[in-house]
Amino acid sequence: MSGIRSSAKFVLDKPNCGKPTFIILFVSLNDGRLVYSLKRKILAEYWNKVIQRPITLQKDPNLKRELTTLQNKISVLDLVVNKYLKDSDHAGDLTKKADLKKLLDKTINPQKLDKQEVGKKTNFFDALRLIMADIEKGKLLTPYDKTYSPGTIKNLKHTIDKLQMYQNGTGDRLSFDTITLQTYRDIFAFFNIKCNHSLNNIGNVIKNFKTFLRISHKAGMHNNTVYLNEDFRVPREDTVDIYLTDKELDALYYLRLSGLQELVRDWFLIDCYTGLRISDILGLTNNDIIGGVIRSINDKTGHRVIVPINPRVNAILEKYGGKLPPKVADVIMNRYIKKIAEKAEIFGRVDYVITRGGKREEWVLERWEMISNHTARRTFITNALKAGVDPVAVMQLAGIKKYSTLMRYNKREIDETAEAMKEHSHFK
């Protein structure tokens, strides 16, 4: 058979721009040249244009892992191209851009499910379980191109059970084609009135419901885009969360502990002075501590963060021979940190308020009862902002992209703001 044949060629879209740029695949086929974006960006300094692959010999272990993963994806696409060309040769078929693009799409974007397999699953809940199976296998990725965490998988499964509860409780048979804004309102009313759920609990169900609708729509299971309507929103209310003041951090730091409680306290303080998510804290290695900073790849978003090492973090590291303390599971941290905070006499009244079943509920807690792993990140961000650190710098240190997200972490009390403003020239 005659025709144009060549293997894949991978190049950078804008190699001289000085910023991360897309990787582009070129393949010459019988009906023309396929130009295909891998939808992955890389800095030119990390790209070897001779072998057309990322340079994986990096000192930073997180960067090395990131580039190695990208290299493996490119190699897989290369194999797909070569197999397609070889199979076409053997079958005597002409190569077509549309056919190869479809194969590449299926490889690079696992969120496009097999429509033939989907077609066998006409039941709404069967379809959701098919989606969950692909999520658990790593075929479906988050919007950040990450595999779903075990906690998120458990949460999504729980939502399927909740939606099944709604269907059984109302007799409203869920189907992709018949979901409307009224369905959204009925689901909200069912969990709000009949089940007496909190507003944020209902919001979690709606958020995951929208996730399933988005994935299934993208997979070609249906053409219903009602979930994009602005009224199909996720309800939420701000909960009462706390951060630890410098005085409270002092109390924790100087508290005499031993064994597992000391380990938990030390890791919690490291987190309070770095602001990393608990998943990123647990993923740290001694190789991530370089030149007075901690370097990490944000597990949720994939962004790189570099945080200066606080003197107290240095002191904790020195206590363990210049290394990180032995790891402690997050569930163990949450189990012990409240009691440790109580020992440190982190007291104070907290008026806790939530909306449940459409009604406002209030009760009083002690500050130590409010402390969890998530308190550490709020503590870092709030104290940095209080100290006058530029908000943009805080966002970079914490790996946050949106200012609105930053403000949700800022837990400075209104009386603290008022007290600080007494010294401001505007109020004198």
Side-chain angles (χ1 to χ4, degrees), residues 27 29-31 34 36 80-81 84-85 88 93-107:
V27 188
L29 304 168
N30 289 103
D31 63 342
L34 174 65
Y36 187 88
V80 169
V81 172
Y84 172 72
L85 296 177
S88 297
D93 295 332
L94 294 176
T95 55
K96 298 179 180 178
K97 290 187 289 184
D99 292 342
L100 180 55
K101 183 180 183 300
K102 184 177 179 180
L103 285 174
L104 293 171
D105 283 343
K106 190 175 180 180
T107 303

Side-chain angles (χ1 to χ4, degrees), residues 17-33:
C17 70
K19 297 180 180 180
T21 185
F22 284 108
I23 302 171
I24 305 296
L25 161 64
F26 292 100
V27 188
S28 293
L29 304 168
N30 289 103
D31 63 342
R33 192 186 201 194

Side-chain angles (χ1 to χ4, degrees), residues 81-362:
V81 172
N82 288 326
K83 184 176 186 302
Y84 172 72
L85 296 177
K86 184 177 179 180
D87 290 347
S88 297
D89 268 334
H90 287 167
D93 295 332
L94 294 176
T95 55
K96 298 179 180 178
K97 290 187 289 184
D99 292 342
L100 180 55
K101 183 180 183 300
K102 184 177 179 180
L103 285 174
L104 293 171
D105 283 343
K106 190 175 180 180
T107 303
I108 201 171
N109 187 4
Q111 289 185 319
K112 292 189 176 179
L113 305 177
D114 188 330
K115 291 185 180 180
Q116 290 184 346
E117 186 178 2
V118 169
K120 300 174 185 177
K121 303 287 185 179
T122 55
N123 179 277
F124 176 81
F125 289 100
D126 284 343
L128 296 196
R129 293 184 183 98
L130 172 64
I131 290 171
M132 285 307 309
D134 280 352
I135 285 176
E136 291 183 279
K137 292 174 184 176
K139 292 182 179 180
L140 287 174
L141 304 179
T142 71
Y144 299 106
D145 289 330
K146 298 285 184 180
T147 55
Y148 285 80
S149 69
T152 301
I153 290 173
K154 183 178 179 181
N155 193 9
L156 288 169
K157 286 182 174 179
H158 187 57
T159 295
I160 294 177
D161 294 337
K162 290 280 189 182
L163 293 174
Q164 186 76 66
M165 181 195 305
Y166 163 79
Q167 178 170 283
N168 295 340
T170 62
D172 181 11
R173 188 171 183 81
L174 291 173
S175 166
F176 288 124
D177 294 331
T178 59
I179 292 171
T180 64
L181 279 177
Q182 187 58 48
T183 308
Y184 163 85
R185 297 185 189 103
D186 290 342
I187 290 174
F188 180 90
F190 175 80
F191 289 111
N192 186 41
I193 299 171
K194 190 168 184 177
C195 299
N196 199 38
H197 283 4
S198 70
L199 197 60
N200 284 340
N201 195 323
I202 300 170
N204 183 62
V205 173
I206 298 295
K207 180 189 71 174
N208 291 338
F209 186 33
K210 291 185 68 168
T211 295
F212 284 128
L213 293 176
R214 173 181 58 80
I215 293 174
S216 55
H217 176 246
K218 192 172 183 178
M221 294 182 181
H222 61 88
N223 294 315
N224 191 342
T225 58
V226 67
Y227 67 96
L228 296 175
N229 190 298
E230 62 178 8
D231 290 330
F232 206 110
R233 60 184 181 274
V234 177
R236 69 180 300 273
E237 66 177 340
D238 290 333
T239 55
V240 180
D241 296 311
I242 68 166
Y243 78 100
L244 300 186
T245 64
D246 289 336
K247 184 178 179 180
E248 290 170 332
L249 289 173
D250 288 345
L252 276 177
Y253 182 78
Y254 290 111
L255 182 65
R256 299 191 65 177
L257 296 169
S258 61
L260 183 57
Q261 286 195 354
E262 183 178 18
L263 272 179
V264 169
R265 185 270 312 277
D266 289 347
W267 270 114
F268 183 77
L269 285 174
I270 290 174
D271 205 355
C272 285
Y273 290 122
T274 60
L276 298 175
R277 290 183 175 85
I278 187 63
S279 57
D280 297 326
I281 280 286
L282 294 175
L284 285 179
T285 70
N286 291 311
N287 292 330
D288 296 322
I289 304 171
I290 305 170
V293 299
I294 290 179
R295 299 172 182 267
S296 175
I297 300 294
N298 192 298
D299 184 61
K300 182 178 180 179
T301 64
H303 294 127
R304 296 178 65 199
V305 294
I306 303 175
V307 187
I309 295 178
N310 180 284
R312 283 191 172 171
V313 174
N314 255 331
I316 292 171
L317 297 179
E318 288 173 6
K319 184 168 65 171
Y320 295 93
K323 297 180 179 180
L324 291 167
K327 293 293 175 65
V328 181
D330 56 343
V331 291
I332 301 296
M333 296 254 306
N334 266 333
R335 186 182 305 164
Y336 279 86
I337 193 58
K338 288 179 173 60
K339 288 298 182 182
I340 294 171
E342 185 181 18
K343 281 186 178 182
E345 299 182 353
I346 298 178
F347 300 139
R349 171 191 173 112
V350 179
D351 297 317
Y352 196 81
V353 181
I354 64 169
T355 303
R356 188 191 304 277
K359 298 178 181 179
R360 179 185 174 96
E361 294 185 1
E362 301 180 32

